[in-house]
Amino acid sequence: MCETGHCFDCAREGYVNLLPASHKRSKDPGDNREMIDARHRVHQARLYHPLAEKIGIIMKALIGQNALVLDLGCGEGYYSSVLHQVAGKLRVHGVDVSKPAIRIAARSCPNAHFAVASSFDVPLASRSVDAAFSVFAPTGAAELARLVRPGGYFLDVSPAPSHLWELRELLYDNPRAHEQVVRELPSFEQASSEAVEFILELTAEQLRDLVAMTPYAYGGQRENKGQLARLDALELQVAFSLYLYRRLPS
Ligand SMILES: C[S@@+](CC[C@H](N)C(=O)[O-])C[C@H]1O[C@@H](n2cnc3c(N)ncnc32)[C@H](O)[C@@H]1O
């Protein structure tokens, strides 16, 4: 029970569901089961580990022990769990609208706290967050401004223009680079930006999972998809942009 008398159940796995049915846009919001399972396998194979490690290193340099870190749109909690390993004793919280993703997160990272909740309506007190981050997930400027304490941080991780380029070349006759999106965050100032880039050598199975966890699962020309399905390996570049913002005093 919270201070104001609201009650909620804690699931066997240790997470709480704080997404009221009236706030759901669909019966099963967020990523579907297929995408979640594929992404979980990709993370278990540590394919994006250099990115996770980099997030941990950045966070460790910014905040002290016991700081509260929030993973927005945390999915299966992979980045939260690496953060614990890299940055040590922190209070890590993760939210995602997808219940199956949060269920996996709570099982695989028992030292963190997970809730089924929207990044636009996070069940944490105003100015209680020392640092928030989001990897390829939606967030809102107003909710970030409410949550992050003055002087705290928000790290936004998004795909850089060349992310998964070879995959797009295979899927589309006229592939286009990812559009670089820099967020408008009026209550924050940009503190720094960095790139993380590396090459993945994928087996056929890993390639299938990587496609299944992205919107490419539903895109591409049909004959190109057939060609992709017949590959038994692929070298693929991954490229991420990391924008760090500092919360202004208000
Ligand atoms: C591309 S996935 C990234 C997951 C995780 N950050 C990762 O990189 O492994 C985007 C995630 O955002 C979640 N999501 C979508 N809309 C959301 C919202 N309004 N609030 C919280 N999570 C949301 C989806 O369920 C999905 O797990």
mmCIF file of all heavy atoms in Angstrom, residues 176-224:
data_model
loop_
_atom_site.group_PDB
_atom_site.id
_atom_site.type_symbol
_atom_site.label_atom_id
_atom_site.label_comp_id
_atom_site.label_asym_id
_atom_site.label_seq_id
_atom_site.Cartn_x
_atom_site.Cartn_y
_atom_site.Cartn_z
ATOM 1 N N ARG A 176 17.072 3.503 -47.551
ATOM 2 C CA ARG A 176 17.359 4.865 -47.071
ATOM 3 C C ARG A 176 17.997 4.782 -45.693
ATOM 4 O O ARG A 176 17.683 3.868 -44.909
ATOM 5 C CB ARG A 176 16.062 5.666 -46.977
ATOM 6 C CG ARG A 176 15.681 6.273 -48.325
ATOM 7 C CD ARG A 176 14.488 7.161 -48.187
ATOM 8 N NE ARG A 176 13.342 6.370 -47.721
ATOM 9 C CZ ARG A 176 12.162 6.869 -47.443
ATOM 10 N NH1 ARG A 176 11.958 8.150 -47.552
ATOM 11 N NH2 ARG A 176 11.174 6.102 -47.040
ATOM 12 N N ALA A 177 18.890 5.750 -45.414
ATOM 13 C CA ALA A 177 19.539 5.776 -44.094
ATOM 14 C C ALA A 177 18.498 6.169 -43.043
ATOM 15 O O ALA A 177 17.521 6.841 -43.351
ATOM 16 C CB ALA A 177 20.681 6.787 -44.104
ATOM 17 N N HIS A 178 18.723 5.710 -41.809
ATOM 18 C CA HIS A 178 17.858 6.119 -40.698
ATOM 19 C C HIS A 178 17.903 7.623 -40.554
ATOM 20 O O HIS A 178 18.979 8.217 -40.622
ATOM 21 C CB HIS A 178 18.401 5.544 -39.378
ATOM 22 C CG HIS A 178 17.724 4.303 -38.969
ATOM 23 N ND1 HIS A 178 16.414 4.270 -38.575
ATOM 24 C CD2 HIS A 178 18.188 3.047 -38.879
ATOM 25 C CE1 HIS A 178 16.095 3.025 -38.268
ATOM 26 N NE2 HIS A 178 17.153 2.266 -38.439
ATOM 27 N N GLU A 179 16.769 8.195 -40.276
ATOM 28 C CA GLU A 179 16.766 9.639 -40.025
ATOM 29 C C GLU A 179 17.237 9.867 -38.590
ATOM 30 O O GLU A 179 16.761 9.193 -37.669
ATOM 31 C CB GLU A 179 15.337 10.144 -40.185
ATOM 32 C CG GLU A 179 15.260 11.609 -40.466
ATOM 33 C CD GLU A 179 13.804 12.041 -40.540
ATOM 34 O OE1 GLU A 179 13.000 11.296 -41.137
ATOM 35 O OE2 GLU A 179 13.511 13.088 -39.974
ATOM 36 N N GLN A 180 18.208 10.765 -38.430
ATOM 37 C CA GLN A 180 18.698 11.037 -37.079
ATOM 38 C C GLN A 180 17.729 11.973 -36.353
ATOM 39 O O GLN A 180 17.502 13.095 -36.810
ATOM 40 C CB GLN A 180 20.078 11.688 -37.154
ATOM 41 C CG GLN A 180 20.740 11.879 -35.812
ATOM 42 C CD GLN A 180 21.191 10.560 -35.207
ATOM 43 O OE1 GLN A 180 22.144 9.961 -35.666
ATOM 44 N NE2 GLN A 180 20.486 10.101 -34.181
ATOM 45 N N VAL A 181 17.151 11.466 -35.268
ATOM 46 C CA VAL A 181 16.170 12.300 -34.545
ATOM 47 C C VAL A 181 16.811 12.838 -33.268
ATOM 48 O O VAL A 181 17.276 12.068 -32.433
ATOM 49 C CB VAL A 181 14.908 11.471 -34.183
ATOM 50 C CG1 VAL A 181 13.890 12.332 -33.457
ATOM 51 C CG2 VAL A 181 14.313 10.840 -35.428
ATOM 52 N N VAL A 182 16.860 14.156 -33.149
ATOM 53 C CA VAL A 182 17.349 14.763 -31.908
ATOM 54 C C VAL A 182 16.142 15.348 -31.189
ATOM 55 O O VAL A 182 15.378 16.109 -31.760
ATOM 56 C CB VAL A 182 18.398 15.865 -32.191
ATOM 57 C CG1 VAL A 182 18.925 16.448 -30.882
ATOM 58 C CG2 VAL A 182 19.546 15.307 -33.024
ATOM 59 N N ARG A 183 15.953 14.922 -29.939
ATOM 60 C CA ARG A 183 14.714 15.289 -29.246
ATOM 61 C C ARG A 183 14.682 16.752 -28.801
ATOM 62 O O ARG A 183 15.721 17.316 -28.465
ATOM 63 C CB ARG A 183 14.550 14.413 -28.012
ATOM 64 C CG ARG A 183 14.409 12.977 -28.394
ATOM 65 C CD ARG A 183 13.687 12.221 -27.339
ATOM 66 N NE ARG A 183 13.815 10.803 -27.624
ATOM 67 C CZ ARG A 183 13.054 9.886 -27.098
ATOM 68 N NH1 ARG A 183 12.108 10.207 -26.269
ATOM 69 N NH2 ARG A 183 13.240 8.611 -27.402
ATOM 70 N N GLU A 184 13.489 17.291 -28.800
ATOM 71 C CA GLU A 184 13.248 18.635 -28.253
ATOM 72 C C GLU A 184 12.928 18.453 -26.779
ATOM 73 O O GLU A 184 11.877 17.914 -26.434
ATOM 74 C CB GLU A 184 12.029 19.252 -28.938
ATOM 75 C CG GLU A 184 12.238 19.632 -30.389
ATOM 76 C CD GLU A 184 13.010 20.938 -30.511
ATOM 77 O OE1 GLU A 184 12.716 21.860 -29.744
ATOM 78 O OE2 GLU A 184 13.907 20.998 -31.379
ATOM 79 N N LEU A 185 13.825 18.862 -25.910
ATOM 80 C CA LEU A 185 13.593 18.721 -24.467
ATOM 81 C C LEU A 185 13.816 20.074 -23.797
ATOM 82 O O LEU A 185 14.932 20.377 -23.333
ATOM 83 C CB LEU A 185 14.532 17.658 -23.883
ATOM 84 C CG LEU A 185 14.347 16.227 -24.373
ATOM 85 C CD1 LEU A 185 15.439 15.326 -23.829
ATOM 86 C CD2 LEU A 185 12.977 15.692 -23.970
ATOM 87 N N PRO A 186 12.784 20.916 -23.742
ATOM 88 C CA PRO A 186 12.955 22.292 -23.274
ATOM 89 C C PRO A 186 13.508 22.432 -21.853
ATOM 90 O O PRO A 186 14.162 23.414 -21.562
ATOM 91 C CB PRO A 186 11.547 22.884 -23.355
ATOM 92 C CG PRO A 186 10.751 21.940 -24.173
ATOM 93 C CD PRO A 186 11.405 20.610 -24.125
ATOM 94 N N SER A 187 13.279 21.452 -20.971
ATOM 95 C CA SER A 187 13.765 21.592 -19.588
ATOM 96 C C SER A 187 15.175 21.047 -19.411
ATOM 97 O O SER A 187 15.662 20.946 -18.277
ATOM 98 C CB SER A 187 12.835 20.869 -18.620
ATOM 99 O OG SER A 187 11.534 21.327 -18.785
ATOM 100 N N PHE A 188 15.797 20.652 -20.508
ATOM 101 C CA PHE A 188 17.130 20.050 -20.441
ATOM 102 C C PHE A 188 18.082 20.818 -21.362
ATOM 103 O O PHE A 188 17.651 21.459 -22.313
ATOM 104 C CB PHE A 188 17.073 18.597 -20.935
ATOM 105 C CG PHE A 188 16.361 17.645 -20.012
ATOM 106 C CD1 PHE A 188 14.966 17.626 -19.965
ATOM 107 C CD2 PHE A 188 17.074 16.771 -19.204
ATOM 108 C CE1 PHE A 188 14.299 16.748 -19.118
ATOM 109 C CE2 PHE A 188 16.410 15.883 -18.360
ATOM 110 C CZ PHE A 188 15.017 15.868 -18.317
ATOM 111 N N GLU A 189 19.383 20.689 -21.069
ATOM 112 C CA GLU A 189 20.377 21.165 -22.035
ATOM 113 C C GLU A 189 21.181 19.942 -22.487
ATOM 114 O O GLU A 189 21.376 19.005 -21.715
ATOM 115 C CB GLU A 189 21.301 22.206 -21.399
ATOM 116 C CG GLU A 189 22.120 21.655 -20.235
ATOM 117 C CD GLU A 189 22.995 22.699 -19.556
ATOM 118 O OE1 GLU A 189 22.996 23.846 -20.012
ATOM 119 O OE2 GLU A 189 23.668 22.341 -18.567
ATOM 120 N N GLN A 190 21.631 19.985 -23.741
ATOM 121 C CA GLN A 190 22.419 18.842 -24.219
ATOM 122 C C GLN A 190 23.809 18.903 -23.598
ATOM 123 O O GLN A 190 24.468 19.946 -23.647
ATOM 124 C CB GLN A 190 22.505 18.844 -25.741
ATOM 125 C CG GLN A 190 22.960 17.467 -26.242
ATOM 126 C CD GLN A 190 22.995 17.374 -27.752
ATOM 127 O OE1 GLN A 190 22.050 17.787 -28.415
ATOM 128 N NE2 GLN A 190 24.070 16.834 -28.282
ATOM 129 N N ALA A 191 24.233 17.807 -22.967
ATOM 130 C CA ALA A 191 25.523 17.789 -22.280
ATOM 131 C C ALA A 191 26.607 17.194 -23.172
ATOM 132 O O ALA A 191 27.757 17.629 -23.147
ATOM 133 C CB ALA A 191 25.407 16.986 -20.992
ATOM 134 N N SER A 192 26.270 16.177 -23.961
ATOM 135 C CA SER A 192 27.267 15.561 -24.852
ATOM 136 C C SER A 192 26.559 14.625 -25.822
ATOM 137 O O SER A 192 25.369 14.309 -25.658
ATOM 138 C CB SER A 192 28.302 14.763 -24.049
ATOM 139 O OG SER A 192 27.650 13.681 -23.414
ATOM 140 N N SER A 193 27.293 14.195 -26.834
ATOM 141 C CA SER A 193 26.750 13.149 -27.715
ATOM 142 C C SER A 193 27.883 12.214 -28.110
ATOM 143 O O SER A 193 29.041 12.635 -28.196
ATOM 144 C CB SER A 193 26.102 13.765 -28.950
ATOM 145 O OG SER A 193 27.082 14.370 -29.744
ATOM 146 N N GLU A 194 27.542 10.958 -28.296
ATOM 147 C CA GLU A 194 28.559 9.951 -28.634
ATOM 148 C C GLU A 194 27.968 8.965 -29.619
ATOM 149 O O GLU A 194 26.745 8.825 -29.713
ATOM 150 C CB GLU A 194 28.942 9.143 -27.387
ATOM 151 C CG GLU A 194 29.795 9.892 -26.422
ATOM 152 C CD GLU A 194 30.462 8.962 -25.410
ATOM 153 O OE1 GLU A 194 31.086 7.955 -25.826
ATOM 154 O OE2 GLU A 194 30.321 9.237 -24.217
ATOM 155 N N ALA A 195 28.859 8.265 -30.310
ATOM 156 C CA ALA A 195 28.400 7.207 -31.213
ATOM 157 C C ALA A 195 28.962 5.880 -30.723
ATOM 158 O O ALA A 195 30.084 5.829 -30.215
ATOM 159 C CB ALA A 195 28.884 7.490 -32.617
ATOM 160 N N VAL A 196 28.193 4.823 -30.863
ATOM 161 C CA VAL A 196 28.697 3.468 -30.601
ATOM 162 C C VAL A 196 28.453 2.679 -31.877
ATOM 163 O O VAL A 196 27.307 2.595 -32.346
ATOM 164 C CB VAL A 196 27.970 2.794 -29.415
ATOM 165 C CG1 VAL A 196 28.388 1.333 -29.281
ATOM 166 C CG2 VAL A 196 28.248 3.539 -28.121
ATOM 167 N N GLU A 197 29.511 2.156 -32.464
ATOM 168 C CA GLU A 197 29.370 1.427 -33.736
ATOM 169 C C GLU A 197 30.215 0.163 -33.681
ATOM 170 O O GLU A 197 31.331 0.196 -33.168
ATOM 171 C CB GLU A 197 29.892 2.290 -34.898
ATOM 172 C CG GLU A 197 29.090 3.539 -35.104
ATOM 173 C CD GLU A 197 29.628 4.394 -36.248
ATOM 174 O OE1 GLU A 197 30.628 3.984 -36.873
ATOM 175 O OE2 GLU A 197 29.045 5.442 -36.506
ATOM 176 N N PHE A 198 29.686 -0.917 -34.180
ATOM 177 C CA PHE A 198 30.487 -2.136 -34.298
ATOM 178 C C PHE A 198 29.846 -3.058 -35.327
ATOM 179 O O PHE A 198 28.737 -2.787 -35.819
ATOM 180 C CB PHE A 198 30.680 -2.826 -32.937
ATOM 181 C CG PHE A 198 29.397 -3.082 -32.170
ATOM 182 C CD1 PHE A 198 28.768 -4.307 -32.225
ATOM 183 C CD2 PHE A 198 28.831 -2.081 -31.382
ATOM 184 C CE1 PHE A 198 27.599 -4.546 -31.511
ATOM 185 C CE2 PHE A 198 27.663 -2.307 -30.669
ATOM 186 C CZ PHE A 198 27.048 -3.540 -30.735
ATOM 187 N N ILE A 199 30.582 -4.116 -35.682
ATOM 188 C CA ILE A 199 30.102 -5.051 -36.712
ATOM 189 C C ILE A 199 29.654 -6.339 -36.029
ATOM 190 O O ILE A 199 30.346 -6.861 -35.155
ATOM 191 C CB ILE A 199 31.238 -5.391 -37.708
ATOM 192 C CG1 ILE A 199 31.779 -4.114 -38.378
ATOM 193 C CG2 ILE A 199 30.792 -6.426 -38.741
ATOM 194 C CD1 ILE A 199 30.885 -3.498 -39.412
ATOM 195 N N LEU A 200 28.497 -6.829 -36.435
ATOM 196 C CA LEU A 200 28.008 -8.112 -35.915
ATOM 197 C C LEU A 200 28.216 -9.192 -36.970
ATOM 198 O O LEU A 200 27.962 -8.952 -38.155
ATOM 199 C CB LEU A 200 26.507 -8.024 -35.641
ATOM 200 C CG LEU A 200 26.038 -7.192 -34.467
ATOM 201 C CD1 LEU A 200 24.509 -7.151 -34.451
ATOM 202 C CD2 LEU A 200 26.553 -7.765 -33.156
ATOM 203 N N GLU A 201 28.673 -10.352 -36.540
ATOM 204 C CA GLU A 201 28.733 -11.493 -37.464
ATOM 205 C C GLU A 201 27.623 -12.442 -37.037
ATOM 206 O O GLU A 201 27.734 -13.142 -36.041
ATOM 207 C CB GLU A 201 30.099 -12.153 -37.400
ATOM 208 C CG GLU A 201 31.130 -11.277 -38.054
ATOM 209 C CD GLU A 201 32.542 -11.800 -37.945
ATOM 210 O OE1 GLU A 201 32.724 -12.994 -37.637
ATOM 211 O OE2 GLU A 201 33.453 -10.992 -38.166
ATOM 212 N N LEU A 202 26.561 -12.448 -37.806
ATOM 213 C CA LEU A 202 25.354 -13.156 -37.386
ATOM 214 C C LEU A 202 25.222 -14.522 -38.028
ATOM 215 O O LEU A 202 25.489 -14.686 -39.229
ATOM 216 C CB LEU A 202 24.120 -12.336 -37.770
ATOM 217 C CG LEU A 202 23.984 -10.952 -37.160
ATOM 218 C CD1 LEU A 202 22.785 -10.234 -37.760
ATOM 219 C CD2 LEU A 202 23.856 -11.042 -35.651
ATOM 220 N N THR A 203 24.765 -15.487 -37.260
ATOM 221 C CA THR A 203 24.350 -16.767 -37.830
ATOM 222 C C THR A 203 22.952 -16.574 -38.429
ATOM 223 O O THR A 203 22.303 -15.555 -38.168
ATOM 224 C CB THR A 203 24.263 -17.841 -36.735
ATOM 225 O OG1 THR A 203 23.235 -17.435 -35.817
ATOM 226 C CG2 THR A 203 25.582 -18.014 -35.987
ATOM 227 N N ALA A 204 22.482 -17.564 -39.164
ATOM 228 C CA ALA A 204 21.151 -17.459 -39.773
ATOM 229 C C ALA A 204 20.077 -17.256 -38.699
ATOM 230 O O ALA A 204 19.169 -16.441 -38.849
ATOM 231 C CB ALA A 204 20.860 -18.710 -40.586
ATOM 232 N N GLU A 205 20.216 -17.987 -37.597
ATOM 233 C CA GLU A 205 19.220 -17.887 -36.519
ATOM 234 C C GLU A 205 19.218 -16.501 -35.877
ATOM 235 O O GLU A 205 18.166 -15.909 -35.622
ATOM 236 C CB GLU A 205 19.555 -18.902 -35.431
ATOM 237 C CG GLU A 205 18.474 -19.910 -35.231
ATOM 238 C CD GLU A 205 18.918 -21.014 -34.310
ATOM 239 O OE1 GLU A 205 19.646 -20.747 -33.330
ATOM 240 O OE2 GLU A 205 18.536 -22.161 -34.580
ATOM 241 N N GLN A 206 20.426 -15.977 -35.641
ATOM 242 C CA GLN A 206 20.524 -14.644 -35.032
ATOM 243 C C GLN A 206 19.967 -13.577 -35.968
ATOM 244 O O GLN A 206 19.329 -12.627 -35.533
ATOM 245 C CB GLN A 206 21.982 -14.328 -34.685
ATOM 246 C CG GLN A 206 22.489 -15.171 -33.530
ATOM 247 C CD GLN A 206 23.986 -15.021 -33.308
ATOM 248 O OE1 GLN A 206 24.716 -14.649 -34.230
ATOM 249 N NE2 GLN A 206 24.428 -15.322 -32.112
ATOM 250 N N LEU A 207 20.206 -13.769 -37.271
ATOM 251 C CA LEU A 207 19.678 -12.824 -38.251
ATOM 252 C C LEU A 207 18.148 -12.831 -38.212
ATOM 253 O O LEU A 207 17.505 -11.778 -38.221
ATOM 254 C CB LEU A 207 20.195 -13.185 -39.649
ATOM 255 C CG LEU A 207 19.674 -12.356 -40.812
ATOM 256 C CD1 LEU A 207 19.972 -10.874 -40.609
ATOM 257 C CD2 LEU A 207 20.282 -12.839 -42.130
ATOM 258 N N ARG A 208 17.581 -14.028 -38.136
ATOM 259 C CA ARG A 208 16.107 -14.147 -38.056
ATOM 260 C C ARG A 208 15.587 -13.405 -36.820
ATOM 261 O O ARG A 208 14.621 -12.654 -36.885
ATOM 262 C CB ARG A 208 15.706 -15.620 -37.987
ATOM 263 C CG ARG A 208 15.149 -16.157 -39.306
ATOM 264 C CD ARG A 208 14.329 -17.407 -39.120
ATOM 265 N NE ARG A 208 14.973 -18.435 -38.319
ATOM 266 C CZ ARG A 208 15.868 -19.311 -38.780
ATOM 267 N NH1 ARG A 208 16.219 -19.286 -40.043
ATOM 268 N NH2 ARG A 208 16.394 -20.221 -37.995
ATOM 269 N N ASP A 209 16.266 -13.601 -35.684
ATOM 270 C CA ASP A 209 15.829 -12.950 -34.445
ATOM 271 C C ASP A 209 15.966 -11.435 -34.536
ATOM 272 O O ASP A 209 15.095 -10.701 -34.083
ATOM 273 C CB ASP A 209 16.647 -13.461 -33.248
ATOM 274 C CG ASP A 209 16.145 -14.811 -32.768
ATOM 275 O OD1 ASP A 209 14.972 -15.143 -33.054
ATOM 276 O OD2 ASP A 209 16.917 -15.540 -32.113
ATOM 277 N N LEU A 210 17.077 -10.990 -35.114
ATOM 278 C CA LEU A 210 17.289 -9.546 -35.217
ATOM 279 C C LEU A 210 16.218 -8.890 -36.080
ATOM 280 O O LEU A 210 15.712 -7.816 -35.765
ATOM 281 C CB LEU A 210 18.679 -9.260 -35.781
ATOM 282 C CG LEU A 210 19.166 -7.887 -35.402
ATOM 283 C CD1 LEU A 210 20.152 -7.969 -34.253
ATOM 284 C CD2 LEU A 210 19.804 -7.186 -36.567
ATOM 285 N N VAL A 211 15.857 -9.572 -37.162
ATOM 286 C CA VAL A 211 14.782 -9.030 -38.024
ATOM 287 C C VAL A 211 13.458 -9.065 -37.255
ATOM 288 O O VAL A 211 12.709 -8.090 -37.255
ATOM 289 C CB VAL A 211 14.678 -9.825 -39.343
ATOM 290 C CG1 VAL A 211 13.453 -9.401 -40.138
ATOM 291 C CG2 VAL A 211 15.938 -9.639 -40.185
ATOM 292 N N ALA A 212 13.215 -10.169 -36.554
ATOM 293 C CA ALA A 212 11.925 -10.327 -35.856
ATOM 294 C C ALA A 212 11.725 -9.291 -34.755
ATOM 295 O O ALA A 212 10.594 -8.965 -34.410
ATOM 296 C CB ALA A 212 11.820 -11.731 -35.275
ATOM 297 N N MET A 213 12.819 -8.750 -34.200
ATOM 298 C CA MET A 213 12.660 -7.786 -33.100
ATOM 299 C C MET A 213 12.551 -6.349 -33.597
ATOM 300 O O MET A 213 12.453 -5.429 -32.809
ATOM 301 C CB MET A 213 13.817 -7.916 -32.100
ATOM 302 C CG MET A 213 15.146 -7.375 -32.584
ATOM 303 S SD MET A 213 16.440 -7.656 -31.353
ATOM 304 C CE MET A 213 17.086 -5.984 -31.200
ATOM 305 N N THR A 214 12.599 -6.158 -34.917
ATOM 306 C CA THR A 214 12.546 -4.800 -35.472
ATOM 307 C C THR A 214 11.308 -4.634 -36.364
ATOM 308 O O THR A 214 10.671 -5.620 -36.752
ATOM 309 C CB THR A 214 13.777 -4.531 -36.359
ATOM 310 O OG1 THR A 214 13.677 -5.374 -37.519
ATOM 311 C CG2 THR A 214 15.087 -4.782 -35.642
ATOM 312 N N PRO A 215 11.016 -3.389 -36.744
ATOM 313 C CA PRO A 215 9.901 -3.180 -37.680
ATOM 314 C C PRO A 215 10.175 -3.812 -39.048
ATOM 315 O O PRO A 215 9.255 -3.959 -39.848
ATOM 316 C CB PRO A 215 9.829 -1.646 -37.809
ATOM 317 C CG PRO A 215 10.560 -1.116 -36.616
ATOM 318 C CD PRO A 215 11.588 -2.135 -36.260
ATOM 319 N N TYR A 216 11.438 -4.218 -39.320
ATOM 320 C CA TYR A 216 11.735 -4.872 -40.608
ATOM 321 C C TYR A 216 11.003 -6.198 -40.752
ATOM 322 O O TYR A 216 10.875 -6.733 -41.838
ATOM 323 C CB TYR A 216 13.239 -5.106 -40.779
ATOM 324 C CG TYR A 216 14.022 -3.825 -40.766
ATOM 325 C CD1 TYR A 216 15.063 -3.631 -39.865
ATOM 326 C CD2 TYR A 216 13.695 -2.792 -41.633
ATOM 327 C CE1 TYR A 216 15.754 -2.438 -39.835
ATOM 328 C CE2 TYR A 216 14.381 -1.597 -41.607
ATOM 329 C CZ TYR A 216 15.415 -1.425 -40.709
ATOM 330 O OH TYR A 216 16.082 -0.247 -40.679
ATOM 331 N N ALA A 217 10.530 -6.738 -39.603
ATOM 332 C CA ALA A 217 9.764 -7.987 -39.663
ATOM 333 C C ALA A 217 8.543 -7.803 -40.560
ATOM 334 O O ALA A 217 8.029 -8.760 -41.140
ATOM 335 C CB ALA A 217 9.335 -8.396 -38.261
ATOM 336 N N TYR A 218 8.053 -6.546 -40.647
ATOM 337 C CA TYR A 218 6.841 -6.289 -41.427
ATOM 338 C C TYR A 218 7.126 -5.500 -42.710
ATOM 339 O O TYR A 218 6.207 -5.104 -43.406
ATOM 340 C CB TYR A 218 5.829 -5.506 -40.573
ATOM 341 C CG TYR A 218 5.583 -6.176 -39.249
ATOM 342 C CD1 TYR A 218 6.171 -5.686 -38.087
ATOM 343 C CD2 TYR A 218 4.811 -7.331 -39.176
ATOM 344 C CE1 TYR A 218 5.976 -6.329 -36.876
ATOM 345 C CE2 TYR A 218 4.603 -7.968 -37.970
ATOM 346 C CZ TYR A 218 5.197 -7.458 -36.821
ATOM 347 O OH TYR A 218 5.008 -8.098 -35.623
ATOM 348 N N GLY A 219 8.412 -5.240 -43.006
ATOM 349 C CA GLY A 219 8.723 -4.419 -44.176
ATOM 350 C C GLY A 219 9.519 -5.186 -45.217
ATOM 351 O O GLY A 219 9.765 -6.378 -45.083
ATOM 352 N N GLY A 220 9.904 -4.475 -46.271
ATOM 353 C CA GLY A 220 10.757 -5.080 -47.299
ATOM 354 C C GLY A 220 9.960 -5.720 -48.410
ATOM 355 O O GLY A 220 8.801 -6.098 -48.239
ATOM 356 N N GLN A 221 10.596 -5.807 -49.596
ATOM 357 C CA GLN A 221 9.935 -6.447 -50.724
ATOM 358 C C GLN A 221 9.939 -7.962 -50.538
ATOM 359 O O GLN A 221 10.900 -8.511 -50.011
ATOM 360 C CB GLN A 221 10.654 -6.070 -52.029
ATOM 361 C CG GLN A 221 10.183 -4.744 -52.606
ATOM 362 C CD GLN A 221 11.117 -3.572 -52.298
ATOM 363 O OE1 GLN A 221 12.151 -3.766 -51.670
ATOM 364 N NE2 GLN A 221 10.750 -2.389 -52.722
ATOM 365 N N ARG A 222 8.842 -8.602 -50.973
ATOM 366 C CA ARG A 222 8.658 -10.021 -50.684
ATOM 367 C C ARG A 222 9.822 -10.891 -51.187
ATOM 368 O O ARG A 222 10.354 -11.719 -50.447
ATOM 369 C CB ARG A 222 7.347 -10.512 -51.307
ATOM 370 C CG ARG A 222 7.032 -11.940 -50.893
ATOM 371 C CD ARG A 222 5.812 -12.421 -51.552
ATOM 372 N NE ARG A 222 4.677 -11.562 -51.202
ATOM 373 C CZ ARG A 222 3.422 -11.938 -51.301
ATOM 374 N NH1 ARG A 222 3.121 -13.125 -51.737
ATOM 375 N NH2 ARG A 222 2.446 -11.130 -50.980
ATOM 376 N N GLU A 223 10.251 -10.638 -52.460
ATOM 377 C CA GLU A 223 11.334 -11.486 -53.006
ATOM 378 C C GLU A 223 12.637 -11.257 -52.248
ATOM 379 O O GLU A 223 13.427 -12.182 -52.044
ATOM 380 C CB GLU A 223 11.505 -11.288 -54.529
ATOM 381 C CG GLU A 223 11.764 -9.885 -55.007
ATOM 382 C CD GLU A 223 10.488 -9.045 -55.166
ATOM 383 O OE1 GLU A 223 9.430 -9.359 -54.570
ATOM 384 O OE2 GLU A 223 10.576 -8.053 -55.875
ATOM 385 N N ASN A 224 12.843 -10.006 -51.763
ATOM 386 C CA ASN A 224 14.061 -9.718 -51.000
ATOM 387 C C ASN A 224 14.018 -10.457 -49.658
ATOM 388 O O ASN A 224 15.044 -10.915 -49.158
ATOM 389 C CB ASN A 224 14.184 -8.222 -50.736
ATOM 390 C CG ASN A 224 14.277 -7.438 -52.020
ATOM 391 O OD1 ASN A 224 14.154 -7.999 -53.100
ATOM 392 N ND2 ASN A 224 14.494 -6.152 -51.923
#
